[in-house]
Amino acid sequence: MKERQRLALAMIMAIGVGFGESGLLEAQDQQQLFTKSAELMGVQFRISLYADNEKQAESACNLAFARIAELESKLSNYQDDSELNRLCRSDTPVVVSDDLWFVLKQSLFYWELSDGAFDVTIGRVTRLWRRARRLRELPGKARIKEEVQFVGSHYLELNLEKQMVTISKPGLLIDLGAIGKGYAADQALEVLRAQGLPSSVINASGDVLFGDAPPGKKGWPAAVVGLNPEADPLLLELQANCAIATSGSAYQHLEVDGKRYSHIIDPRSGLALEGRSSVSVLAPTGLESDALASAISVLGPKIGSKLVRQLPSTEFFAVFQRNSRKPAVDYRSAGFPLKYKK
């Protein structure tokens, strides 16, 4: 099970949005709150929305899930016949769909912004470390060095006029796991808006996208937690029309000879981060918060803070414990919307 799937209701959540046997949660201002879930992109997507009736809510949710399934067929690195994997296997330039084009362009933006701390060409390295966690042993230094040679977004050549992508390094693998779910949530919300249901929340197993506020309210309840998902969450101010994503290593990690290695990999070195961390980013869209949470996890809080200050309407909260002999330290940008600040 993926990290964010395990943290779905702990790392980031819309508090107070629960489940009912019929899907009906509460009634307010002649609209009712419904919820519906689906397993897509390897995680659980949960939609909560206000609608006039259950039929309207279910129809809209099904359309949103269909859009996410469509994106999965394009962006997945697990589906052998996905558009992304077909691109990675091609030794010639490929004209790609609007969706894959947009995500790749945004990926290059965050690669440049983070000086390589965010890099979707990390596919071979993440595959190597997934195997290491299964076997409970570190990958060899020589093997890491070998796979890192296939990492680098400068190997992606985008022809802006023809919407064409060329991979100049044969064997390179793209992994959109740190940006794809956020984009899928953005697109699902657009579907709900088109159906006249803007008061919605989409929880992509820990990456939460908030639409318009519930009827008669200022926003949706939300919270974050730090390194311990069992601890009481930190309440946030009510949220609307923004996204919060968390990248953390509370569950998915590797311990060897007393050292803890995160599932989060530094693309520049191919090495897993040591210690524990949890980074939550608030941003205007799911794609932005998704990518930035991963980037700041690698960059650390000081450089991450400088990065966030370059971006409008973007804030972060992070907890880092790089060494088990030292206490965890909290960091947050000045505008991160904690309800009760320390």
Side-chain angles (χ1 to χ4, degrees):
M1 189 180 296
K2 294 182 179 296
E3 179 74 3
R4 289 180 180 173
Q5 189 171 5
R6 284 173 162 152
L7 302 183
L9 300 179
M11 302 297 286
I12 302 276
M13 54 190 159
I15 295 178
V17 178
F19 292 86
E21 291 183 0
S22 67
L24 174 61
L25 302 183
E26 64 178 67
Q28 182 175 331
D29 291 350
Q30 298 181 342
Q31 281 196 322
Q32 301 166 335
L33 182 59
F34 295 86
T35 188
K36 189 175 178 66
S37 300
E39 295 289 330
L40 294 161
M41 303 183 92
V43 299
Q44 183 188 76
F45 277 78
R46 185 184 65 178
I47 296 175
S48 300
L49 55 79
Y50 280 89
D52 294 332
N53 53 65
E54 186 170 2
K55 181 178 180 180
Q56 182 190 33
E58 183 168 6
S59 174
C61 286
N62 288 340
L63 288 172
F65 289 142
R67 176 65 172 129
I68 297 171
E70 177 190 11
L71 290 171
E72 184 174 14
S73 72
K74 297 176 180 180
L75 309 180
S76 173
N77 72 327
Y78 286 95
Q79 294 183 3
D80 185 64
D81 62 344
S82 70
E83 183 182 9
L84 177 67
N85 280 333
R86 294 197 305 271
L87 169 64
C88 291
R89 289 193 296 265
S90 177
D91 57 3
T92 60
V94 176
V95 177
V96 300
S97 67
D98 291 346
D99 291 313
L100 183 54
W101 178 256
F102 180 79
V103 173
L104 289 177
K105 283 183 62 179
Q106 290 299 304
S107 298
L108 289 177
F109 170 79
Y110 288 106
W111 171 66
E112 294 178 351
L113 182 71
S114 66
D115 291 327
F118 178 90
D119 196 326
V120 297
T121 66
I122 198 174
R124 291 177 67 119
V125 176
T126 53
R127 184 176 63 181
L128 178 65
W129 279 95
R130 281 198 297 265
R131 181 177 183 275
R133 289 193 299 274
R134 287 197 306 269
L135 299 178
R136 298 184 181 277
E137 63 182 28
L138 293 175
K141 292 182 180 179
R143 183 65 188 282
I144 293 174
K145 185 177 180 180
E146 177 184 341
E147 299 295 8
V148 167
Q149 295 179 34
F150 292 88
V151 177
S153 286
H154 57 281
Y155 295 127
L156 300 181
E157 301 175 3
L158 275 59
N159 184 317
L160 301 181
E161 293 183 357
K162 299 181 178 180
Q163 198 165 304
M164 183 178 290
V165 180
T166 303
I167 296 177
S168 62
K169 180 78 169 180
L172 178 148
L173 294 180
I174 300 172
D175 183 348
L176 298 176
I179 195 170
K181 289 191 296 296
Y183 177 66
D186 291 335
Q187 290 299 298
L189 182 58
E190 288 302 310
V191 170
L192 299 177
R193 290 188 185 280
Q195 296 299 305
L197 302 176
S199 295
S200 307
V201 169
I202 300 173
N203 187 331
S205 289
D207 296 346
V208 180
L209 178 63
F210 300 93
D212 290 1
K217 296 184 179 180
K218 294 182 178 180
W220 296 86
V224 297
V225 299
L227 299 181
N228 180 9
E230 304 301 325
D232 291 337
L234 298 173
L235 298 180
L236 305 185
E237 297 170 1
L238 297 176
Q239 298 300 313
N241 295 312
C242 65
I244 308 176
T246 291
S247 181
S249 57
Y251 292 104
Q252 198 168 335
H253 59 273
L254 172 66
E255 290 191 21
V256 177
D257 297 331
K259 284 190 176 182
R260 179 185 176 113
Y261 299 87
S262 171
H263 76 292
I264 303 169
I265 311 300
D266 187 335
R268 301 165 297 185
S269 66
L271 299 177
L273 303 184
E274 295 187 23
R276 307 170 68 203
S277 65
S278 175
V279 176
S280 299
V281 174
L282 182 148
T285 68
L287 181 150
E288 293 171 273
S289 61
D290 201 0
L292 288 169
S294 298
I296 295 174
S297 294
V298 174
L299 291 169
K302 293 183 180 180
I303 300 178
S305 179
K306 294 179 181 179
L307 185 151
V308 164
R309 287 199 294 269
Q310 300 177 49
L311 302 169
S313 305
T314 304
E315 307 290 344
F316 86 103
F317 172 84
V319 186
F320 283 86
Q321 186 180 30
R322 294 306 195 195
N323 190 314
S324 61
R325 295 185 296 273
K326 296 182 179 180
V329 181
D330 293 1
Y331 304 86
R332 67 172 178 268
S333 57
F336 192 81
L338 287 179
K339 192 171 184 179
Y340 306 107
K341 296 185 179 181
K342 297 179 181 178

